[in-house]
mmCIF file of all heavy atoms in Angstrom:
data_model
loop_
_atom_site.group_PDB
_atom_site.id
_atom_site.type_symbol
_atom_site.label_atom_id
_atom_site.label_comp_id
_atom_site.label_asym_id
_atom_site.label_seq_id
_atom_site.Cartn_x
_atom_site.Cartn_y
_atom_site.Cartn_z
ATOM 1 N N GLY I 1 89.120 121.549 78.631
ATOM 2 C CA GLY I 1 89.314 123.020 78.795
ATOM 3 C C GLY I 1 89.160 123.442 80.218
ATOM 4 O O GLY I 1 88.523 122.871 81.096
ATOM 5 N N ALA I 2 89.790 124.614 80.493
ATOM 6 C CA ALA I 2 89.732 125.204 81.835
ATOM 7 C C ALA I 2 88.969 126.558 81.796
ATOM 8 O O ALA I 2 88.733 127.136 80.803
ATOM 9 C CB ALA I 2 91.193 125.356 82.366
ATOM 10 N N GLY I 3 88.549 126.905 82.932
ATOM 11 C CA GLY I 3 87.936 128.198 83.097
ATOM 12 C C GLY I 3 86.434 128.227 82.793
ATOM 13 O O GLY I 3 85.837 129.247 82.641
ATOM 14 N N SER I 4 85.811 127.003 82.585
ATOM 15 C CA SER I 4 84.419 127.042 82.262
ATOM 16 C C SER I 4 83.512 127.458 83.469
ATOM 17 O O SER I 4 82.320 127.735 83.220
ATOM 18 C CB SER I 4 84.028 125.703 81.771
ATOM 19 O OG SER I 4 84.313 124.646 82.797
ATOM 20 N N ASP I 5 84.039 127.398 84.557
ATOM 21 C CA ASP I 5 83.219 127.795 85.742
ATOM 22 C C ASP I 5 83.190 129.330 86.039
ATOM 23 O O ASP I 5 82.727 129.810 87.014
ATOM 24 C CB ASP I 5 83.691 127.108 87.004
ATOM 25 C CG ASP I 5 85.131 127.340 87.304
ATOM 26 O OD1 ASP I 5 85.806 127.997 86.516
ATOM 27 O OD2 ASP I 5 85.685 126.840 88.264
ATOM 28 N N GLY I 6 83.836 130.089 85.129
ATOM 29 C CA GLY I 6 83.849 131.558 85.232
ATOM 30 C C GLY I 6 85.043 132.032 85.946
ATOM 31 O O GLY I 6 85.255 133.248 86.133
ATOM 32 N N VAL I 7 85.881 131.128 86.423
ATOM 33 C CA VAL I 7 87.124 131.582 87.130
ATOM 34 C C VAL I 7 88.203 131.806 86.117
ATOM 35 O O VAL I 7 88.325 131.016 85.198
ATOM 36 C CB VAL I 7 87.507 130.545 88.156
ATOM 37 C CG1 VAL I 7 88.844 130.921 88.827
ATOM 38 C CG2 VAL I 7 86.460 130.315 89.159
ATOM 39 N N GLY I 8 89.030 132.813 86.272
ATOM 40 C CA GLY I 8 89.998 133.162 85.248
ATOM 41 C C GLY I 8 91.087 132.089 85.249
ATOM 42 O O GLY I 8 91.177 131.196 86.059
ATOM 43 N N VAL I 9 91.881 132.132 84.280
ATOM 44 C CA VAL I 9 92.942 131.151 84.050
ATOM 45 C C VAL I 9 94.001 131.148 85.240
ATOM 46 O O VAL I 9 94.641 130.186 85.402
ATOM 47 C CB VAL I 9 93.725 131.383 82.723
ATOM 48 C CG1 VAL I 9 92.825 131.110 81.598
ATOM 49 C CG2 VAL I 9 94.315 132.830 82.658
ATOM 50 N N ASP I 10 94.015 132.241 85.923
ATOM 51 C CA ASP I 10 94.994 132.270 87.065
ATOM 52 C C ASP I 10 94.265 131.905 88.360
ATOM 53 O O ASP I 10 94.854 131.953 89.501
ATOM 54 C CB ASP I 10 95.639 133.671 87.192
ATOM 55 C CG ASP I 10 94.563 134.718 87.444
ATOM 56 O OD1 ASP I 10 93.399 134.465 87.375
ATOM 57 O OD2 ASP I 10 95.064 135.888 87.749
ATOM 58 N N GLY I 11 92.989 131.566 88.270
ATOM 59 C CA GLY I 11 92.243 131.040 89.429
ATOM 60 C C GLY I 11 91.688 132.196 90.247
ATOM 61 O O GLY I 11 91.116 131.964 91.273
ATOM 62 N N VAL I 12 91.879 133.410 89.855
ATOM 63 C CA VAL I 12 91.364 134.565 90.592
ATOM 64 C C VAL I 12 90.275 135.265 89.846
ATOM 65 O O VAL I 12 90.390 135.679 88.715
ATOM 66 C CB VAL I 12 92.521 135.622 90.769
ATOM 67 C CG1 VAL I 12 92.029 136.832 91.674
ATOM 68 C CG2 VAL I 12 93.777 134.958 91.425
ATOM 69 N N SER I 13 89.106 135.358 90.544
ATOM 70 C CA SER I 13 87.925 135.893 89.899
ATOM 71 C C SER I 13 88.013 137.463 90.137
ATOM 72 O O SER I 13 88.589 137.953 91.114
ATOM 73 C CB SER I 13 86.680 135.322 90.526
ATOM 74 O OG SER I 13 86.586 135.598 91.853
ATOM 75 N N SER I 14 87.441 138.097 89.222
ATOM 76 C CA SER I 14 87.377 139.603 89.335
ATOM 77 C C SER I 14 86.399 140.059 90.430
ATOM 78 O O SER I 14 85.410 139.472 90.662
ATOM 79 C CB SER I 14 86.975 140.222 88.003
ATOM 80 O OG SER I 14 85.591 139.742 87.575
ATOM 81 N N GLY I 15 86.873 141.015 91.158
ATOM 82 C CA GLY I 15 86.062 141.419 92.312
ATOM 83 C C GLY I 15 86.077 142.959 92.411
ATOM 84 O O GLY I 15 86.477 143.708 91.511
ATOM 85 N N VAL I 16 85.506 143.525 93.494
ATOM 86 C CA VAL I 16 85.376 145.009 93.729
ATOM 87 C C VAL I 16 86.816 145.422 94.132
ATOM 88 O O VAL I 16 87.468 144.894 95.050
ATOM 89 C CB VAL I 16 84.325 145.282 94.834
ATOM 90 C CG1 VAL I 16 84.291 146.803 95.055
ATOM 91 C CG2 VAL I 16 82.965 144.727 94.392
ATOM 92 N N VAL I 17 87.234 146.580 93.614
ATOM 93 C CA VAL I 17 88.449 147.107 93.949
ATOM 94 C C VAL I 17 88.377 147.928 95.204
ATOM 95 O O VAL I 17 87.440 148.732 95.463
ATOM 96 C CB VAL I 17 89.006 148.119 92.815
ATOM 97 C CG1 VAL I 17 90.275 148.740 93.252
ATOM 98 C CG2 VAL I 17 89.086 147.377 91.512
ATOM 99 N N LYS I 18 89.261 147.608 96.129
ATOM 100 C CA LYS I 18 89.259 148.258 97.433
ATOM 101 C C LYS I 18 90.491 149.221 97.507
ATOM 102 O O LYS I 18 91.441 149.059 96.908
ATOM 103 C CB LYS I 18 89.354 147.211 98.572
ATOM 104 C CG LYS I 18 88.137 146.305 98.621
ATOM 105 C CD LYS I 18 88.272 145.425 99.904
ATOM 106 C CE LYS I 18 86.999 144.526 100.079
ATOM 107 N NZ LYS I 18 86.784 143.602 98.960
ATOM 108 N N SER I 19 90.359 150.237 98.378
ATOM 109 C CA SER I 19 91.416 151.217 98.575
ATOM 110 C C SER I 19 91.948 151.150 99.943
ATOM 111 O O SER I 19 91.360 150.641 100.861
ATOM 112 C CB SER I 19 90.885 152.577 98.138
ATOM 113 O OG SER I 19 89.841 152.887 99.003
ATOM 114 N N GLY I 20 93.048 151.952 100.188
ATOM 115 C CA GLY I 20 93.655 152.117 101.569
ATOM 116 C C GLY I 20 94.332 150.806 102.018
ATOM 117 O O GLY I 20 94.753 149.996 101.207
ATOM 118 N N ALA I 21 94.449 150.678 103.308
ATOM 119 C CA ALA I 21 95.197 149.582 103.972
ATOM 120 C C ALA I 21 94.612 148.266 103.588
ATOM 121 O O ALA I 21 95.297 147.290 103.345
ATOM 122 C CB ALA I 21 95.314 149.795 105.410
ATOM 123 N N GLU I 22 93.200 148.202 103.576
ATOM 124 C CA GLU I 22 92.582 146.971 103.369
ATOM 125 C C GLU I 22 92.888 146.517 101.882
ATOM 126 O O GLU I 22 93.184 145.344 101.693
ATOM 127 C CB GLU I 22 91.047 147.202 103.483
ATOM 128 C CG GLU I 22 90.258 145.884 103.270
ATOM 129 C CD GLU I 22 88.757 146.182 103.375
ATOM 130 O OE1 GLU I 22 88.389 147.287 103.733
ATOM 131 O OE2 GLU I 22 88.008 145.182 103.127
ATOM 132 N N GLY I 23 92.821 147.423 101.029
ATOM 133 C CA GLY I 23 93.124 147.100 99.592
ATOM 134 C C GLY I 23 94.623 146.705 99.372
ATOM 135 O O GLY I 23 94.909 145.778 98.682
ATOM 136 N N SER I 24 95.500 147.394 100.064
ATOM 137 C CA SER I 24 96.976 147.049 100.012
ATOM 138 C C SER I 24 97.246 145.681 100.590
ATOM 139 O O SER I 24 98.003 144.922 100.005
ATOM 140 C CB SER I 24 97.777 148.229 100.804
ATOM 141 O OG SER I 24 99.037 147.733 100.759
ATOM 142 N N GLU I 25 96.570 145.386 101.703
ATOM 143 C CA GLU I 25 96.778 144.110 102.392
ATOM 144 C C GLU I 25 96.239 142.957 101.491
ATOM 145 O O GLU I 25 96.860 141.921 101.308
ATOM 146 C CB GLU I 25 96.069 144.103 103.736
ATOM 147 C CG GLU I 25 96.284 142.696 104.526
ATOM 148 C CD GLU I 25 95.537 142.771 105.886
ATOM 149 O OE1 GLU I 25 95.063 143.856 106.249
ATOM 150 O OE2 GLU I 25 95.490 141.706 106.490
ATOM 151 N N GLU I 26 94.983 143.220 100.875
ATOM 152 C CA GLU I 26 94.478 142.165 100.048
ATOM 153 C C GLU I 26 95.234 142.012 98.730
ATOM 154 O O GLU I 26 95.473 140.834 98.281
ATOM 155 C CB GLU I 26 92.966 142.543 99.694
ATOM 156 C CG GLU I 26 92.231 141.539 98.877
ATOM 157 C CD GLU I 26 90.793 141.829 98.680
ATOM 158 O OE1 GLU I 26 90.245 142.431 99.667
ATOM 159 O OE2 GLU I 26 90.311 141.513 97.642
ATOM 160 N N SER I 27 95.819 143.109 98.324
ATOM 161 C CA SER I 27 96.688 143.021 97.113
ATOM 162 C C SER I 27 97.953 142.176 97.364
ATOM 163 O O SER I 27 98.367 141.369 96.549
ATOM 164 C CB SER I 27 97.087 144.438 96.678
ATOM 165 O OG SER I 27 97.943 144.370 95.550
ATOM 166 N N SER I 28 98.488 142.380 98.597
ATOM 167 C CA SER I 28 99.747 141.613 98.974
ATOM 168 C C SER I 28 99.388 140.090 98.988
ATOM 169 O O SER I 28 100.150 139.230 98.640
ATOM 170 C CB SER I 28 100.230 142.010 100.317
ATOM 171 O OG SER I 28 100.668 143.388 100.196
ATOM 172 N N GLU I 29 98.213 139.768 99.630
ATOM 173 C CA GLU I 29 97.803 138.413 99.688
ATOM 174 C C GLU I 29 97.598 137.732 98.308
ATOM 175 O O GLU I 29 97.914 136.585 98.058
ATOM 176 C CB GLU I 29 96.418 138.277 100.541
ATOM 177 C CG GLU I 29 96.607 138.649 102.020
ATOM 178 C CD GLU I 29 95.330 138.652 102.706
ATOM 179 O OE1 GLU I 29 94.264 138.421 102.110
ATOM 180 O OE2 GLU I 29 95.360 138.773 104.003
ATOM 181 N N ILE I 30 96.982 138.574 97.479
ATOM 182 C CA ILE I 30 96.699 138.034 96.116
ATOM 183 C C ILE I 30 98.105 137.729 95.345
ATOM 184 O O ILE I 30 98.311 136.804 94.749
ATOM 185 C CB ILE I 30 96.010 139.038 95.229
ATOM 186 C CG1 ILE I 30 94.499 139.089 95.867
ATOM 187 C CG2 ILE I 30 95.880 138.677 93.805
ATOM 188 C CD1 ILE I 30 93.654 140.102 95.108
ATOM 189 N N GLU I 31 99.078 138.798 95.587
ATOM 190 C CA GLU I 31 100.349 138.544 94.941
ATOM 191 C C GLU I 31 101.071 137.306 95.509
ATOM 192 O O GLU I 31 101.755 136.518 94.738
ATOM 193 C CB GLU I 31 101.207 139.761 95.173
ATOM 194 C CG GLU I 31 100.743 141.069 94.331
ATOM 195 C CD GLU I 31 101.555 142.292 94.730
ATOM 196 O OE1 GLU I 31 102.406 142.156 95.559
ATOM 197 O OE2 GLU I 31 101.325 143.359 94.099
ATOM 198 N N ALA I 32 100.991 137.087 96.831
ATOM 199 C CA ALA I 32 101.616 135.973 97.450
ATOM 200 C C ALA I 32 100.931 134.685 96.924
ATOM 201 O O ALA I 32 101.573 133.655 96.621
ATOM 202 C CB ALA I 32 101.444 136.035 98.951
ATOM 203 N N SER I 33 99.620 134.663 96.798
ATOM 204 C CA SER I 33 98.835 133.518 96.338
ATOM 205 C C SER I 33 99.241 133.264 94.822
ATOM 206 O O SER I 33 99.507 132.021 94.465
ATOM 207 C CB SER I 33 97.334 133.773 96.374
ATOM 208 O OG SER I 33 96.632 132.742 95.934
ATOM 209 N N GLN I 34 99.429 134.289 94.047
ATOM 210 C CA GLN I 34 99.679 134.105 92.618
ATOM 211 C C GLN I 34 101.174 133.540 92.514
ATOM 212 O O GLN I 34 101.476 132.725 91.698
ATOM 213 C CB GLN I 34 99.644 135.437 91.880
ATOM 214 C CG GLN I 34 98.273 135.886 91.588
ATOM 215 C CD GLN I 34 98.181 137.224 90.966
ATOM 216 O OE1 GLN I 34 99.133 138.013 91.016
ATOM 217 N NE2 GLN I 34 97.133 137.497 90.264
ATOM 218 N N ALA I 35 102.073 134.016 93.370
ATOM 219 C CA ALA I 35 103.479 133.576 93.422
ATOM 220 C C ALA I 35 103.549 132.049 93.767
ATOM 221 O O ALA I 35 104.230 131.267 93.158
ATOM 222 C CB ALA I 35 104.368 134.337 94.347
ATOM 223 N N SER I 36 102.702 131.699 94.814
ATOM 224 C CA SER I 36 102.608 130.335 95.194
ATOM 225 C C SER I 36 102.122 129.394 94.055
ATOM 226 O O SER I 36 102.620 128.376 93.770
ATOM 227 C CB SER I 36 101.646 130.163 96.391
ATOM 228 O OG SER I 36 101.584 128.798 96.739
ATOM 229 N N ARG I 37 101.045 129.944 93.380
ATOM 230 C CA ARG I 37 100.531 129.170 92.330
ATOM 231 C C ARG I 37 101.454 129.056 91.181
ATOM 232 O O ARG I 37 101.586 128.055 90.443
ATOM 233 C CB ARG I 37 99.165 129.890 91.819
ATOM 234 C CG ARG I 37 97.990 129.430 92.618
ATOM 235 C CD ARG I 37 96.723 129.873 91.846
ATOM 236 N NE ARG I 37 96.644 131.435 91.742
ATOM 237 C CZ ARG I 37 96.086 132.103 92.801
ATOM 238 N NH1 ARG I 37 95.619 131.680 93.852
ATOM 239 N NH2 ARG I 37 96.039 133.474 92.536
ATOM 240 N N THR I 38 102.237 130.165 90.892
ATOM 241 C CA THR I 38 103.237 130.056 89.880
ATOM 242 C C THR I 38 104.309 129.042 90.171
ATOM 243 O O THR I 38 104.771 128.317 89.281
ATOM 244 C CB THR I 38 103.948 131.503 89.666
ATOM 245 O OG1 THR I 38 102.898 132.490 89.361
ATOM 246 C CG2 THR I 38 104.960 131.416 88.580
ATOM 247 N N GLY I 39 104.650 129.049 91.436
ATOM 248 C CA GLY I 39 105.682 127.958 91.789
ATOM 249 C C GLY I 39 105.115 126.559 91.670
ATOM 250 O O GLY I 39 105.843 125.632 91.135
ATOM 251 N N HIS I 40 103.879 126.358 91.938
ATOM 252 C CA HIS I 40 103.255 125.037 91.837
ATOM 253 C C HIS I 40 103.168 124.698 90.341
ATOM 254 O O HIS I 40 103.364 123.592 89.916
ATOM 255 C CB HIS I 40 101.889 124.947 92.465
ATOM 256 C CG HIS I 40 101.892 124.948 93.917
ATOM 257 N ND1 HIS I 40 102.582 124.027 94.617
ATOM 258 C CD2 HIS I 40 101.279 125.674 94.856
ATOM 259 C CE1 HIS I 40 102.387 124.136 95.872
ATOM 260 N NE2 HIS I 40 101.634 125.270 96.078
ATOM 261 N N THR I 41 102.840 125.742 89.519
ATOM 262 C CA THR I 41 102.704 125.561 88.084
ATOM 263 C C THR I 41 103.991 125.118 87.412
ATOM 264 O O THR I 41 104.121 124.242 86.625
ATOM 265 C CB THR I 41 102.245 126.742 87.354
ATOM 266 O OG1 THR I 41 100.913 127.048 87.889
ATOM 267 C CG2 THR I 41 102.047 126.594 85.899
#
């Protein structure tokens, strides 16, 4: 089984929601990372 270490099935753990430019930049990085992972999958 997967996910036993507390990490979600997409490999991204839940964290604190940020706002503004910092949150937007981090959101873009997460989306890019998820797209990369989707490609690898």
